[in-house]
Amino acid sequence: MPFLNLLVLLLMIPVQDSVKQKKEPQHPEVLVLHDSMIEHNYREIHFARLNGWKFSSEDDPEFSSPDYDDSGWYRIPIPPEEEGAIPDSLWKGFGWYRLKVKIDTAFSMSHTVLQSYGGVGAIEFYINDSLVLKRGNPAPLEKNEKFTGTPATIGNFYDFVPGETYQLAFRNSFHNHKLLGIFTGMPVKTDLGIHMYDRNNLDNDIREKNILTSIISLAAIILFMVTILHLLLYLKLREEKSNLYIFLITGALWLFSLSLLVEEFRIFEDYNLKVALQFLTGLLISFFIGFVPFVLHKILKVPMGKFWKFFVYFPVTIILLETFISVFISVPEIIMEVLLILIILASFTGGIIAMLKAKKRERKDLYLLAGSILGAPVIMILAISITFLFDSGSFFSFSLVTFLLLTILPVGLSLYQGKNFLQMHRNLDQMVQERTRELEEAYQNLEESHQQLKDAQGQLIQQEKLASLGQLTAGIAHEIKNPLNFVNNFSEVCLEMIDEAKEEIATIRKGHQNSNGSSETLKLLDDVNDLLSSVASNLKKIYEHGHRADGIVKSMLLHSRGGSGKMEEVHLNALVREYVNLAYHGMRAGKKPIDVDIEFDLDLNVGEVKLVGEDFSRVIVNLCNNAFDAMREKLSKTNFKPLLKVKTVREEELVKIKITDNGPGIPEENMDKILQPFFTTKKGTEGTGLGLSISHDIVKAHGGEIEIESVPQNGSTITIVLQTITRTADSLKNTDY
C-alpha cells in the first residue's frame, strides 16, 4: 500500500547505486541488453522496467517458444511496471508477456541467476521455451490459481552468450487483485518483481539481506526491552501514567518491527496471510505516528488541545479509507502520498509543540526528547535525499538509518522518563534526608527535654529528701534554740547582777575601811568579790559559747531552709569556707569528735558562680563529713594527724573544688559503687549510703560532675567540676574570705 511504502521504503529496499537507463528506440522488435541497463550495486536488471513488451490475455503453451509469431499481440507502450501499462479491458486476471532481446557483445552479465522479489500474483518465466523461474501457480481460472507469500524466489542460473538473441516470456495471473491488491499497496497487474542478477553478486545480496535482518532484529530486541521495562514500571507504579504511554507507543513499534521481520524474511505458503500482515503493519505504524503528540504531551505534563487528543485516529482512518474506498474509487496515488506526508509532519509538529510548552514551564532534560523527535525526520530526509535524489549511498549508512528510525524515539522517551525517575529518586532521597534530619533534631530535642525532665524529677526528689531532712533539722534546731536563748539571756542577766553585787561589795568595804571595821569582815568581802569575779568569768564563757552555739543553730536553720530552688550568683569561696567550717563544728559537737587541721587554698579568680546555694552547701557538708568519718576510722587504728585540704581553682571556663583527706582511701572495688544510692561501707546504722549519691545528683543538676581519686592508705580527693561561670573576682581580690 502507498502508506506502507512511504514509511518503510528505506527499511525494505537496498540503497540504490544505479545508473540511469539510456533511452531505447520506441517499440524495438529486438531489445538489446547492455551494461547501461544494469541497476543498483547488486548489478541487476528489472525486466518490468524494460520497453518493448507485448501482451496477450490468451493461454497457449506455445507462447513461450521463440518461434511463435506474436505480431498480433498488444504492444505495451510503456514499461510494464508503470501504472496503466495494460488497459483494464485487456486484463482479465491472466496474461502472457513476451520480449525478444539481444545480448550486447560487451554485456558483462553473462552468468546470471533469475529471482522473483516483490511483485504480485503467480508467475512462470521462460527463456527460449525453458522454464527458469516459477512462483506459485498462474492459471486462467481463479480456482486453479495459487499464490505464495514468499518475499523472494530464486530461479535457475542462466548463461547468456554475447551477440545471441533470446525470447523472454512469462505467464502471470492475479484474478482477485481488486480485493487483495488494495492491501498490498502495489500495482497488481504489472509489478512482476522479476530480476536478473549477476551471479557473482548474489552472495553479497544475500549477505546484506542477512545483515539487514540482524539490524532489524537488534532494534526489535531493544524495543522489546523498553516495552517490558515500562510495562513493569507501570504495574509497579500505576499512578505514573507516563510509563503506560511509553509502553503503548514502544509496543506498537516493536510489533511493527516484528511484522517487518516476519513479512520480509519468512516464507508464507498462504499469500492471504502475507497480505493481512502487510495491512497489520500499516495499522501499527499509523498508530505509532498518530500517538506521538499525545504521548509527548502526557509525558511532559503539559496541557493538550482537543485536536491532539483525537489526532491518533487520523492516520488509522486514512489507512482504512485508502484500503476500502479504493475498491470502488480510484484515488490518485500522489494524493494519498501527499496526505500521508502531511500527517507525518503534523505528528512531529505536535511533538514539537509539546516540547515548546514544556520549555515555557522550565521542564528539564528536554534535549533527550528534542533529539528523538527531531532526529527521526532529519534522518529520514537525509536518507531519502542521499538515496533517491543523489542516487548514491552505502549499505552501512542504510543499515544505520534503519536502526535509528526504529529506535531513536522510544529510546529517547525511555531515557527521559528514566532521568525523571532518577531526579525524582534524588528528590525523594533529599526529602528523606531532610525529614530524617528534622526527625533526628526533634528526637535530640526530645531527648534533651526528657533528660531535663529526668534531671528536674531527680532534683525534685532530691529536694523532697532534703526538705524532709531540713524539716527534721529545723525542728531539732528550734528545740535547741529555745533553751539556748534562756542560757544566753540568763547568763547576760547574771553578769549584770554580778557587776551590781560587786559594786555593792565595793561600797560596803569602803564604808568598813572608813569606820575602821574589823579585818575579818574586810577579808570576807574580798573573798566574796573574788568568788563573784570567778562566777562572772564563767558566765562570760557561758555567754560566749552560747552565742557561738546560737550561730551554729542559725546556720543549721539556714541550711535546712527550702529556698526558692533558683540559681543565683554566689561567692563560691565564701560559701565553701562557711560550710566547711559548719561541717567541722558539727563534727566536733557530735559523739566522736576528732581534731582535724583544715587548710584552705582558695583561688580569688574563681569569682561568682551561679548556684542554688541551699543545695550546693549540702554537697560541701556531705563531702566534708565523709572525709571526717574516713579520717576517724584511720585514727582508731594508727597514729596520724588528720588533715583536710580544701582548694578552689579556675581553669579557663571550669571551676574546680577539691576536698582532699589523708584517710585510708577508697578500695578499688568500691570506686564504681561509691556514687550509687544506699551504698555505704559504714557499719550498722551509722550511715544510709545517700550522702554521696545526693551530692552527685545536686552537682549534676548544676551541670557539673564529681571526679574521685584515691590512693589506698594515703587518702582520697573528691573534685567538683562546674562549667557555669558568670563573673570573675578581679574586683574581689582584696576580699578576705
Side-chain angles (χ1 to χ4, degrees):
M1 59 182 65
F3 178 70
L4 185 58
N5 290 341
L6 179 65
L7 295 175
V8 300
L9 189 59
L10 293 177
L11 301 177
M12 308 322 307
I13 301 177
V15 179
Q16 296 187 30
D17 189 18
S18 61
V19 180
K20 299 295 182 181
Q21 271 187 238
K22 295 181 180 179
K23 292 185 178 181
E24 299 295 333
Q26 282 287 1
H27 314 302
E29 289 295 331
V30 179
L31 180 66
V32 179
L33 294 183
H34 46 75
D35 283 354
S36 63
M37 298 178 179
I38 300 175
E39 300 179 0
H40 303 306
N41 56 341
Y42 301 120
R43 293 182 57 79
E44 67 172 340
I45 291 179
H46 190 182
F47 288 112
R49 294 176 182 172
L50 301 179
N51 286 312
W53 286 95
K54 297 179 180 180
F55 175 78
S56 173
S57 59
E58 303 296 329
D59 185 30
D60 189 333
E62 295 295 327
F63 290 171
S64 62
S65 172
D67 298 327
Y68 179 77
D69 183 12
D70 57 12
S71 59
W73 285 27
Y74 174 74
R75 185 180 294 276
I76 304 175
I78 56 178
E81 74 167 357
E82 296 184 17
E83 187 174 358
I86 299 176
D88 290 340
S89 59
L90 291 178
W91 179 255
K92 306 301 180 183
F94 176 85
W96 277 84
Y97 296 79
R98 283 172 59 89
L99 175 65
K100 185 168 288 188
V101 297
K102 182 179 181 180
I103 307 302
D104 187 72
T105 56
F107 191 57
S108 60
M109 290 180 60
S110 60
H111 194 54
T112 61
V113 62
L114 279 297
Q115 181 180 11
S116 170
Y117 183 80
V120 293
I123 293 176
E124 289 178 350
F125 189 78
Y126 298 87
I127 299 178
N128 284 346
D129 207 20
S130 176
L131 181 63
V132 295
L133 178 65
K134 181 178 176 66
R135 183 180 71 192
N137 183 40
L141 300 178
E142 183 177 357
K143 63 180 181 178
N144 298 325
E145 182 183 53
K146 181 181 179 181
F147 297 148
T148 180
T150 180
T153 301
I154 298 178
N156 299 331
F157 292 97
Y158 199 90
D159 292 327
F160 289 99
V161 179
E164 294 293 326
T165 301
Y166 297 89
Q167 179 64 55
L168 308 181
F170 58 85
R171 305 171 74 211
N172 173 236
S173 68
F174 194 81
H175 290 281
N176 201 13
H177 67 276
K178 286 193 174 180
L179 182 59
L180 292 178
I182 56 177
F183 291 96
T184 65
M186 301 179 183
V188 295
K189 293 180 295 186
T190 55
D191 186 5
L192 307 172
I194 299 176
H195 306 256
M196 182 175 70
Y197 285 89
D198 190 328
R199 183 175 181 180
N200 296 327
N201 288 356
L202 181 61
D203 293 338
N204 184 51
D205 181 20
I206 296 174
R207 184 174 60 255
E208 291 188 351
K209 281 184 170 57
N210 291 334
I211 292 174
L212 184 59
T213 304
S214 301
I215 291 292
I216 298 178
S217 299
L218 177 60
I221 291 173
I222 294 175
L223 293 173
F224 174 75
M225 294 173 63
V226 174
T227 300
I228 296 301
L229 171 64
H230 288 281
L231 174 61
L232 294 177
L233 289 175
Y234 171 69
L235 295 177
K236 187 71 175 178
L237 196 64
R238 290 183 180 271
E239 59 270 17
E240 182 56 52
K241 298 293 185 182
S242 297
N243 290 311
L244 174 62
Y245 302 134
I246 297 177
F247 160 71
L248 292 175
I249 196 169
T250 308
L253 198 56
W254 172 61
L255 292 176
F256 170 73
S257 63
L258 288 183
S259 301
L260 293 180
L261 288 172
V262 173
E263 177 189 348
E264 296 298 327
F265 303 103
R266 296 289 295 179
I267 296 177
F268 289 95
E269 293 297 332
D270 189 352
Y271 184 78
N272 295 334
L273 181 60
K274 177 180 179 179
V275 171
L277 185 62
Q278 287 180 334
F279 179 68
L280 176 62
T281 305
L283 288 179
L284 288 171
I285 196 63
S286 65
F287 172 78
F288 170 80
I289 291 178
F291 205 45
V292 167
F294 181 88
V295 170
L296 287 173
H297 278 85
K298 289 295 183 180
I299 291 178
L300 293 172
K301 295 179 174 58
V302 293
M304 177 170 47
K306 291 183 178 180
F307 176 80
W308 300 116
K309 288 182 180 179
F310 297 100
F311 178 76
V312 65
Y313 301 109
F314 291 177
V316 176
T317 302
I318 290 176
I319 289 294
L320 296 176
L321 289 175
E322 179 192 10
T323 299
F324 297 108
I325 293 180
S326 60
V327 177
F328 310 101
I329 303 175
S330 179
V331 180
E333 185 177 345
I334 186 63
I335 295 178
M336 297 303 299
E337 297 290 356
V338 170
L339 183 58
L340 294 173
I341 289 175
L342 292 177
I343 289 293
I344 294 173
L345 293 177
S347 176
F348 289 115
T349 302
I352 294 172
I353 290 174
M355 286 189 293
L356 292 176
K357 292 178 182 177
K359 185 178 181 181
K360 289 182 180 179
R361 289 163 175 78
E362 298 182 351
R363 298 283 193 273
K364 296 181 179 179
D365 304 319
L366 289 178
Y367 64 91
L368 292 172
L369 293 181
S372 299
I373 198 69
L374 296 177
V378 169
I379 292 171
M380 185 178 292
I381 292 172
L382 289 177
I384 292 174
S385 300
I386 293 173
T387 304
F388 297 103
L389 297 182
F390 300 99
D391 200 22
S392 63
S394 67
F395 186 78
F396 173 77
S397 61
F398 164 71
S399 300
L400 180 62
V401 167
T402 301
F403 180 79
L404 292 177
L405 285 178
L406 286 173
T407 59
I408 186 169
L409 184 57
V411 171
L413 292 173
S414 184
L415 289 176
Y416 177 79
Q417 185 69 4
K419 195 158 187 180
N420 280 348
F421 264 40
L422 290 176
Q423 185 63 38
M424 182 177 67
H425 181 69
R426 290 195 208 98
N427 293 338
L428 288 176
D429 281 346
Q430 185 176 359
M431 292 173 62
V432 169
Q433 291 176 0
E434 292 177 356
R435 184 58 179 163
T436 302
R437 185 168 58 252
E438 292 175 358
L439 290 175
E440 288 176 350
E441 292 177 356
Y443 178 77
Q444 185 176 358
N445 294 335
L446 184 61
E447 281 287 319
E448 292 176 358
S449 300
H450 180 65
Q451 187 61 41
Q452 292 174 0
L453 183 61
K454 286 179 65 178
D455 294 343
Q457 184 181 16
Q459 191 171 5
L460 288 174
I461 294 173
Q462 181 63 24
Q463 288 286 351
E464 185 64 25
K465 293 178 182 178
L466 296 176
S468 299
L469 181 61
Q471 289 177 359
L472 177 62
T473 304
I476 296 173
H478 278 294
E479 293 297 324
I480 294 174
K481 189 170 179 62
N482 287 332
L484 188 60
N485 287 336
F486 280 103
V487 171
N488 290 334
N489 292 336
F490 280 108
S491 63
E492 186 177 2
V493 172
C494 288
L495 284 172
E496 292 176 357
M497 293 177 65
I498 288 173
D499 289 338
E500 291 177 359
K502 289 176 72 175
E503 290 177 359
E504 290 295 332
I505 290 173
T507 302
I508 293 173
R509 190 176 186 283
K510 186 177 181 182
H512 275 282
Q513 286 179 348
N514 293 334
S515 61
N516 296 319
S518 64
S519 58
E520 293 181 0
T521 301
L522 292 175
K523 184 176 183 302
L524 179 61
L525 290 174
D526 289 336
D527 291 340
V528 172
N529 189 58
D530 292 338
L531 180 61
L532 289 175
S533 295
S534 299
V535 173
S537 177
N538 291 337
L539 285 174
K540 285 180 180 179
K541 290 291 183 180
I542 293 172
Y543 183 77
E544 179 183 346
H545 287 283
H547 274 283
R548 180 181 173 189
D550 184 62
I552 293 173
V553 170
K554 287 181 179 178
S555 296
M556 289 176 65
L557 288 172
L558 179 63
H559 182 69
S560 63
R561 190 177 304 156
S564 63
K566 294 182 179 179
M567 287 194 176
E568 298 176 349
E569 293 182 357
V570 176
H571 291 179
L572 186 63
N573 287 345
L575 182 142
V576 170
R577 182 185 291 275
E578 178 182 358
Y579 283 96
V580 168
N581 288 329
L582 178 61
Y584 174 73
H585 291 304
M587 179 271 295
R588 292 288 297 165
K591 292 182 180 180
K592 299 179 181 180
I594 60 174
D595 292 328
V596 178
D597 291 337
I598 300 178
E599 294 182 1
F600 288 98
D601 182 10
L602 305 180
D603 187 354
L604 294 180
N605 289 322
V606 167
E608 293 183 343
V609 179
K610 219 169 188 181
L611 299 172
V612 180
E614 296 85 353
D615 292 346
F616 200 78
S617 61
R618 296 186 180 101
V619 175
I620 303 299
V621 172
N622 286 339
L623 297 182
C624 290
N625 286 337
N626 284 346
F628 296 149
D629 290 341
M631 289 185 289
R632 183 185 295 110
E633 180 181 354
K634 187 174 181 180
L635 185 63
S636 63
K637 297 179 180 179
T638 60
N639 294 321
F640 86 107
K641 182 65 176 177
L643 174 63
L644 181 70
K645 294 181 179 180
V646 180
K647 181 179 180 179
T648 60
V649 62
R650 177 188 178 192
E651 297 179 358
E652 296 181 355
E653 295 185 355
L654 298 178
V655 167
K656 295 183 178 181
I657 304 169
K658 296 186 177 183
I659 299 177
T660 305
D661 66 76
N662 60 349
I666 302 171
E668 186 175 353
E669 62 270 16
N670 292 338
M671 288 293 290
D672 294 335
K673 306 175 185 178
I674 198 71
L675 296 177
Q676 294 178 3
F678 302 106
F679 176 79
T680 181
T681 58
K682 297 179 181 178
K683 297 180 181 179
T685 58
E686 292 182 1
T688 62
L690 290 174
L692 278 178
S693 175
I694 292 175
S695 299
H696 184 242
D697 291 342
I698 293 174
V699 172
K700 284 181 62 178
H702 283 78
E705 287 291 336
I706 290 182
E707 299 175 353
I708 301 176
E709 300 176 5
S710 179
V711 179
Q713 304 305 321
N714 287 326
S716 303
T717 298
I718 297 181
T719 303
I720 302 171
V721 181
L722 298 176
Q723 298 180 355
T724 304
I725 300 177
T726 59
R727 183 166 62 88
T728 61
D730 292 337
S731 61
L732 304 174
K733 287 184 179 179
N734 297 324
T735 304
D736 184 12
Y737 291 119

